[in-house]
Amino acid sequence: APSMLVFDASNRSECQVQRQRSNTPLQALVLLNSPQVLEACRVLAERVLNESELDSSKAIQQLFVTLIGRAPTSKEKEILTQQYTEEKDYFAKKPEAAKEFLSIGYKAPSEEIAFANTAAMARVANTILNSTEAYYKN
């Protein structure tokens, strides 16, 4: 996929023992705007919200562990919780924006969770995913 070239994926015409490591603005753009990434963040947000029984604190913890592979520090959790609250308030005031954001991709959004909650958690997932620690594993 062309977007994988932005992340230094091999073109498969030759053996690559170790992936080249880079961090470019194009990578951030792909992670922030790719319909595939946004849909994946939404589906992951729905999953963690369901598994945590709509407890946003537990959902954020689970998102972080899933995407990073470790528990968040108290400061990281505080920042992500604040982001979730701000995003939820925004989407609650603008339900059409939530619906539009959740319509990205092929899979229909879950009707079981309020769209504002799902959209806010998807944005948190996207924030975590856009950290270098998430997309580069050593």
Side-chain angles (χ1 to χ4, degrees):
S3 64
M4 293 307 295
L5 294 176
V6 173
F7 291 95
D8 307 316
S10 169
N11 66 8
R12 297 173 42 170
S13 66
E14 57 191 43
C15 177
Q16 188 173 15
V17 176
Q18 186 173 4
R19 221 171 96 187
Q20 187 177 4
R21 190 173 178 148
S22 68
N23 188 347
T24 70
L26 287 176
Q27 293 168 342
L29 286 172
V30 168
L31 290 173
L32 290 170
N33 298 308
S34 167
Q36 184 178 17
V37 172
L38 294 175
E39 182 179 20
C41 287
R42 176 178 48 86
V43 172
L44 181 59
E46 289 173 352
R47 189 187 93 198
V48 297
L49 283 168
N50 279 327
E51 290 175 1
S52 67
E53 298 174 353
L54 303 180
D55 180 335
S56 62
S57 181
K58 287 180 185 176
I60 290 169
Q61 176 89 13
Q62 188 174 347
L63 266 179
F64 200 91
V65 170
T66 300
L67 294 171
I68 302 289
R70 65 170 174 82
T73 64
S74 59
K75 185 66 175 171
E76 289 167 333
K77 194 164 184 179
E78 178 186 330
I79 291 168
L80 294 170
T81 301
Q82 180 179 349
Q83 181 194 8
Y84 174 76
T85 303
E86 290 171 3
E87 296 284 359
K88 185 178 169 188
D89 292 345
Y90 170 81
F91 285 122
K93 290 176 187 170
K94 298 186 178 201
E96 288 304 313
K99 195 171 187 177
E100 182 180 343
F101 179 69
L102 296 176
S103 70
I104 296 170
Y106 293 104
K107 187 176 185 304
S110 172
E111 299 283 336
E112 298 173 11
I113 306 169
F115 283 176
N117 292 8
T118 303
M121 194 60 70
R123 289 264 175 101
V124 171
N126 192 252
T127 297
I128 297 169
L129 186 62
N130 203 13
S131 69
T132 305
E133 195 175 355
Y135 63 85
Y136 274 119
K137 304 290 184 202
N138 288 328

